[in-house]
Amino acid sequence: MNVKYVLALKGNPGNPDAPKKYYAQTKSVGDITLKQISREIAENSSTVSDTDVLAVLNDLTKILNRHLKNGEIVRFGDFGTFQINIKSEGAESEEKFTTAMITDTKVTYRPGSDVREMLNNIKFEKL
């Protein structure tokens, strides 16, 4: 199956007078839940049930959150790594900086070798 995309006409925010251009944007064709993933994993294994897999995936989510919250980089082998990143307002000096100046937090994901390989071989189809 190919990744679907649509074209969107967008202006250049750095140069509002520049002509607009068409850019590709991915378009999802659905989603999958953790419960559905657990069933799919269980179907490919003869030794565990989907309930067992779901329990492990739920614990994995809790552990991932705990370690990210502790400021650790979480490495999932060939799947990739997760890390907390922040944005903040600037301060005139270190003494004037407060945590209230932190404006955004996000989790950054960097793909591992298996996911990079998938990305290198991906095919696209206009929706």
Side-chain angles (χ1 to χ4, degrees):
M1 185 177 221
N2 298 332
V3 172
K4 309 292 190 246
Y5 72 92
V6 295
L7 296 177
L9 185 62
K10 295 182 182 183
N12 181 343
N15 183 1
D17 297 327
K20 293 183 176 184
K21 295 182 180 181
Y22 285 92
Y23 295 89
Q25 291 180 293
T26 57
K27 191 73 173 173
S28 72
V29 294
D31 60 3
I32 186 167
T33 67
L34 201 59
K35 193 172 187 177
Q36 291 168 318
I37 290 169
S38 67
R39 278 193 210 122
E40 195 169 322
I41 292 171
E43 287 171 4
N44 292 316
S45 171
S46 60
T47 60
V48 293
S49 71
D50 58 333
T51 305
D52 294 333
V53 174
L54 184 58
V56 170
L57 292 176
N58 281 328
D59 285 346
L60 177 64
T61 302
K62 291 175 193 172
I63 290 169
L64 172 70
N65 288 339
R66 182 175 65 232
H67 287 278
L68 287 173
K69 191 174 171 181
N70 288 337
E72 297 172 81
I73 297 172
V74 180
R75 300 185 190 280
F76 272 102
D78 293 337
F79 181 68
T81 60
F82 295 84
Q83 180 178 4
I84 296 283
N85 280 325
I86 59 175
K87 288 184 182 178
S88 73
E89 299 170 359
E92 294 172 5
S93 68
E94 285 187 41
E95 294 77 23
K96 291 185 179 182
F97 186 86
T98 67
T99 56
M101 298 172 84
I102 296 173
T103 59
D104 190 27
T105 58
K106 66 179 182 177
V107 175
T108 300
Y109 166 71
R110 287 184 302 282
S113 59
D114 286 353
V115 178
R116 278 195 314 271
E117 182 179 336
M118 177 274 301
L119 291 171
N120 289 335
N121 295 310
I122 203 164
K123 304 289 185 219
F124 299 96
E125 179 182 325
K126 187 175 178 185
L127 190 61

